[in-house]
Amino acid sequence: MSAPGRPKHESSLGEAVAQRPEGSSVSAPGRPKHESSLGEAVAQRPEGSSVSAPGRPKHESSLGEAVAQRPEGSSVIGEADLHERSEVRDGMRITWNAPIRMTDGAVLRADVYRPLDEDQRCPVILSHGVYAKGLTYDQGYPMQWQKMIADHPEILEGSTNRYQAWEVTDPERWVPHGYAVVRVDSRGAGWSEGLLDPMSPQETEDICETIAWAARQPWSTGAVGVLGISYYAVMGWRAATRRPPGLKAIIAWEGFMDLYRDSSRHGGILSEFAKRWAEIQAVTVQYGLGSRAKTNPHTGESIAGPVDLSDEELARNRRDLYLQSVERALDGEWWRARSADPAEVAVPFLSCANWGGMGIHPRGNFSGFTGAPIADKWLEVHGDTHWSLFSAPYGLQLQKRFFDHFLKGLDNDWREQPRVLLNVRHADGRFEPRAEGEWPLARTCWTDYYLDAASGALDGLPSGRCATASPREDSHLGRPGALDGLPSGRCATSSPREDSRLGRPGALVPERPAPAHATYRGLGDGLVFRTAPLAEAIEITGPVAARLYIASDTVDADLFLTVQVFDPQGRELTFQGALDPNTPIAMGWLRASHRRLDPERSQPWQPYHPHDREEPLTPGEIVMLDIEILPTCVVLPAGWSVGLSVRGCDYEYQGEIADFGQQFYYATRGTGGMTHGEPADRPAAVFDNTITLYTGGDTASYLRLPVIPPRA
């Protein structure tokens, strides 16, 4: 067992030399094999490569006047590039800091890992993002690394793990398999010069150019796939809408598509995640930090470029995504230019979602699958942390089978892969893999559970088997279409009604409770509604929605909805989510002034809000809100109950918090860093309000859940 950055047999340099694989080279830990001194490095460098002292600013090189006269922080690429060099180590031929010149003249840098045979041409696995290609996993993300190897120790087998880095694949898993791995630093991050402007349209242009560059290299077959988690997956989605030369397929492992709806403004409410994220993960690796940043153990150089820029220069060279989001409360061109449209995705893809990633990624993974108008698309959904299964054998096997088929052209078993693979979550923590043919599931019984403000009850769970609705299959979109007619069967005590808001028949629903209402403070604990204990086991899998009738004593109201489950003793069950170890079953949000629907894009199970105008409330006047709640999956035994929390501020888990949840910087008592407390977006004069929730009669508020009957 070894930590990344150190070969597992390297307890001393002597042991490392004695035990190294035949044909490999060895250097002192953290030092390139030929760089025991600068003189030795120059003497041993490959023909045509250049070596500079680790961490040395490039303006101190022998380029002299030419370097002194160029703009501060920019690069010069000559026949002998100052910073690019190649070496052989750990069974791979590695090129550090390969320069890629963009059409506007900026130079981005990439590390390239490929097989030893100089004549071997390989398909390319590419990642392009802001997290600094030279920052090793254990250096930059020690808590995540330790949790991952504790939960999945098998990750340590079959690789030295010294090249493991955050949210990208391990080249030692791919190079022996006949692939080249290319890691590109985004403009302004790591070793790539320029303006650090996360999620900007320029980044889309840049990844398209780096893909084209990788496709035309002499060691490339011309087939490129994009692979990575989160930021890297987002970049893959965006490239897939442009289809640059060479891009053949992508794997989007937990990656959003819509910057506004998926990650930044939940139901129109500003998420504070980008503020935390920039401070922890982006500003810390900005190009120009130079000697103030961490050191790449493989090259001995800074992870954040070979120049030291002043704090003032660094500030001028970056844009603050969070502040830009604060300034733009409504959707529009700025947001669209930073999002990927599923309808424009034009390459085969595997979309991998996390049931517990609410507030950032899964909405994009699901909408990418349902919205892309192509046949070669697959959806996989899992649990666990944001990072672990990607690197575990489970994820690697999926990834290799997919890319072997689409990048190598192998006639393997990928075509037998189920169109949808769900890891079905059980209350006892088990995940059971199950093949499905579409999303949402065609046999879903959309069942409405009515809120009763008088009793706090949530009524509507069928006491017997729920009859299957009969949706039409829209095979072009790979999902069920709208419910075209009333289901042929009946849930217990239910009667169909017309969902006039969406202009189509709704789900089967139970009898409505008598009219009632309850009030709560917008910044208080809110209200919780619960079902009676279940008479039998139930599976809830799919998108969730709610309709609430509310009034506010101010001109607006923010609604925070959380679907909860409770054991027979009344204790809430949470799961390890993508980021938070106490993640509830499902969440949804809506700002009441953004309540207007787009009827063409709404479904009975997923309302769609254009967020393009504000419609203030009249204090005291009742309004109807249709609220999207993100997809979920859970199988509950008899005796458990389902709850819905309705409040005006973030959910907070009230149970005991384990050590990881107390220490991890994105663990925020259930929300995974996706909190919503920005005063500029939520002034107390408006949102520290009194909200009245109406239930029953003509204001029958309800929760719509996707109940899955057993297969016949």
Side-chain angles (χ1 to χ4, degrees):
M1 185 178 296
S2 65
R6 184 174 197 179
K8 54 187 171 185
H9 52 249
E10 196 170 333
S11 55
S12 70
L13 183 58
E15 289 179 19
V17 172
Q19 300 180 44
R20 71 179 187 269
E22 183 178 351
S24 66
S25 301
V26 175
S27 63
R31 172 178 270 171
K33 65 157 189 168
H34 50 247
E35 198 168 334
S36 55
S37 70
L38 183 58
E40 289 180 21
V42 172
Q44 299 180 39
R45 71 179 185 270
E47 184 179 350
S49 68
S50 301
V51 176
S52 60
R56 183 181 200 178
K58 57 188 171 186
H59 54 263
E60 294 181 8
S61 72
S62 59
L63 285 180
E65 293 181 5
V67 175
Q69 294 173 14
R70 73 179 185 270
E72 183 65 40
S74 65
S75 296
V76 171
I77 301 179
E79 290 185 1
D81 182 79
L82 283 174
H83 306 296
E84 178 186 18
R85 68 167 178 268
S86 296
E87 62 175 322
V88 171
R89 64 194 303 174
D90 294 313
M92 300 180 289
R93 185 173 300 278
I94 307 172
T95 299
W96 308 110
N97 300 323
I100 310 173
R101 186 178 288 280
M102 302 290 100
T103 54
D104 65 356
V107 176
L108 275 55
R109 300 269 175 179
D111 291 342
V112 180
Y113 305 80
R114 56 194 181 93
L116 295 177
D117 185 352
E118 289 272 28
D119 297 323
Q120 183 175 350
R121 299 173 68 234
C122 307
V124 179
I125 306 296
L126 182 140
S127 58
H128 184 126
V130 297
Y131 296 138
K133 59 186 176 56
L135 182 62
T136 59
Y137 217 132
D138 64 337
Q139 272 188 318
Y141 300 88
M143 288 187 67
Q144 293 93 316
W145 171 257
Q146 291 300 326
K147 180 167 179 55
M148 179 171 70
I149 62 175
D151 294 345
H152 300 276
E154 66 274 14
I155 289 173
L156 295 172
E157 301 171 5
S159 171
T160 70
N161 290 292
R162 65 189 307 180
Y163 305 99
Q164 289 266 28
W166 178 243
E167 295 189 341
V168 294
T169 196
D170 180 0
E172 290 187 274
R173 303 290 187 180
W174 291 89
V175 171
H177 196 57
Y179 286 87
V181 174
V182 175
R183 293 176 176 171
V184 185
D185 278 337
S186 281
R187 185 182 297 240
W191 269 69
S192 292
E193 67 188 29
L195 179 70
L196 177 59
D197 191 3
M199 298 294 159
S200 66
Q202 183 63 59
E203 273 198 310
T204 304
E205 299 296 329
D206 288 348
I207 189 174
C208 290
E209 290 198 47
T210 59
I211 289 169
W213 174 88
R216 64 175 179 264
Q217 296 309 296
W219 38 261
S220 170
T221 62
V224 180
V226 176
L227 172 64
I229 311 173
S230 189
Y231 202 105
Y232 299 99
V234 173
M235 297 303 295
W237 281 128
R238 291 164 70 173
T241 67
R242 300 283 295 277
R243 197 166 189 175
L247 182 61
K248 304 300 182 185
I250 70 165
I251 298 177
W253 196 283
E254 300 188 32
F256 68 77
M257 300 192 80
D258 188 325
L259 182 61
Y260 186 97
R261 291 166 180 78
D262 298 355
S263 67
S264 298
R265 283 194 166 270
H266 303 136
I269 308 167
L270 180 70
S271 168
E272 296 174 290
F273 180 81
K275 178 170 62 175
R276 288 186 177 88
W277 168 84
E279 295 170 351
I280 296 169
Q281 296 183 251
V283 175
T284 52
V285 294
Q286 184 180 357
Y287 177 87
L289 279 171
S291 61
R292 290 164 289 176
K294 296 183 188 300
T295 299
N296 182 334
H298 308 304
T299 66
E301 298 168 319
S302 167
I303 64 165
V307 297
D308 285 309
L309 300 181
S310 68
D311 290 344
E312 293 75 15
E313 289 169 321
L314 289 169
R316 288 196 299 269
N317 280 357
R318 64 176 178 257
R319 297 287 179 268
D320 190 320
L321 177 62
Y322 180 71
L323 289 181
Q324 294 177 92
S325 302
V326 172
E327 295 166 354
R328 294 168 172 85
L330 298 178
D331 196 5
E333 287 304 315
W334 188 89
W335 294 101
R336 294 306 95 215
R338 289 159 176 78
S339 300
D341 184 348
E344 296 178 358
V345 172
V347 299
F349 66 82
L350 170 61
S351 179
C352 301
N354 189 322
W355 296 121
M358 291 168 290
I360 187 163
H361 292 305
R363 188 180 185 280
N365 287 112
F366 287 110
S367 63
F369 178 75
T370 59
I374 60 173
D376 287 331
K377 58 182 180 178
W378 286 263
L379 175 67
E380 180 273 347
V381 195
H382 53 268
D384 211 316
T385 61
H386 183 46
W387 54 90
S388 295
L389 291 179
F390 175 85
S391 296
Y394 170 84
L396 282 168
Q397 290 167 10
L398 272 176
Q399 296 157 20
K400 286 183 177 179
R401 289 173 53 233
F402 178 82
F403 277 143
D404 279 354
H405 183 71
F406 286 105
L407 300 188
K408 287 186 173 181
L410 297 184
D411 186 16
N412 58 10
D413 64 349
W414 182 258
R415 290 292 175 183
E416 282 73 60
Q417 174 74 15
R419 189 64 60 177
V420 175
L421 175 61
L422 304 181
N423 286 281
V424 177
R425 180 169 56 183
H426 291 255
D428 61 6
R430 288 180 296 121
F431 285 88
E432 178 185 5
R434 188 175 74 204
E436 298 287 353
E438 69 289 312
W439 182 266
L441 305 188
R443 64 186 183 280
T444 303
C445 180
W446 304 99
T447 307
D448 293 344
Y449 301 80
Y450 280 101
L451 285 61
D452 188 344
S455 64
L458 188 63
D459 293 327
L461 287 173
S463 59
R465 180 176 174 179
C466 180
T468 304
S470 304
R472 63 175 175 83
E473 176 68 22
D474 187 340
S475 59
H476 180 63
L477 294 178
R479 58 168 173 78
L483 295 177
D484 289 332
L486 292 174
S488 57
R490 291 171 62 88
C491 294
T493 69
S494 65
S495 59
R497 64 170 177 81
E498 178 68 18
D499 186 340
S500 58
R501 178 74 173 184
L502 296 179
R504 54 173 70 99
L508 291 175
V509 297
E511 296 298 329
R512 304 180 183 189
H517 65 271
T519 62
Y520 62 94
R521 292 295 299 174
L523 300 184
D525 292 336
L527 306 171
V528 177
F529 301 85
R530 288 175 58 174
T531 68
L534 299 173
E536 59 183 27
I538 188 173
E539 177 182 340
I540 300 168
T541 297
V544 182
R547 172 170 290 176
L548 301 183
Y549 292 85
I550 66 109
S552 169
D553 66 351
T554 66
V555 296
D556 214 339
D558 283 345
L559 280 294
F560 293 73
L561 305 190
T562 304
V563 179
Q564 302 171 277
V565 294
F566 300 91
D567 70 12
Q569 288 71 47
R571 295 171 299 201
E572 183 185 3
L573 174 69
T574 59
F575 290 88
Q576 171 64 62
L579 296 176
D580 202 299
N582 299 109
T583 303
I585 299 304
M587 292 180 179
W589 310 262
L590 184 64
R591 176 157 289 172
S593 60
H594 291 219
R595 63 191 177 278
R596 189 172 66 89
L597 288 172
D598 180 343
E600 295 301 318
R601 301 187 68 172
S602 293
Q603 297 281 6
W605 53 82
Q606 185 180 28
Y608 185 92
H609 303 88
H611 296 292
D612 58 359
R613 71 179 71 166
E614 293 179 345
E615 298 178 339
L617 304 182
T618 299
E621 184 175 299
I622 300 174
V623 294
M624 181 176 70
L625 309 178
D626 287 306
I627 303 172
E628 175 184 7
I629 301 175
L630 296 176
T632 189
C633 174
V634 66
V635 177
L636 299 177
W640 286 59
S641 59
V642 178
L644 177 68
S645 166
V646 180
R647 47 196 283 160
C649 55
D650 286 305
Y651 164 88
E652 290 188 353
Y653 175 63
Q654 297 302 307
E656 183 178 350
I657 305 293
D659 288 346
F660 183 77
Q662 294 181 31
Q663 299 169 15
F664 185 43
Y665 41 79
Y666 287 138
T668 49
R669 301 194 72 90
T671 55
M674 269 66 75
T675 55
H676 306 78
E678 172 57 55
D681 185 66
R682 305 192 69 222
V686 176
F687 296 103
D688 188 10
N689 53 347
T690 296
I691 301 167
T692 303
L693 175 63
Y694 294 85
T695 65
D698 293 334
T699 54
S701 297
Y702 61 82
L703 173 69
R704 178 167 292 173
L705 289 180
V707 177
I708 307 300
R711 281 181 168 142

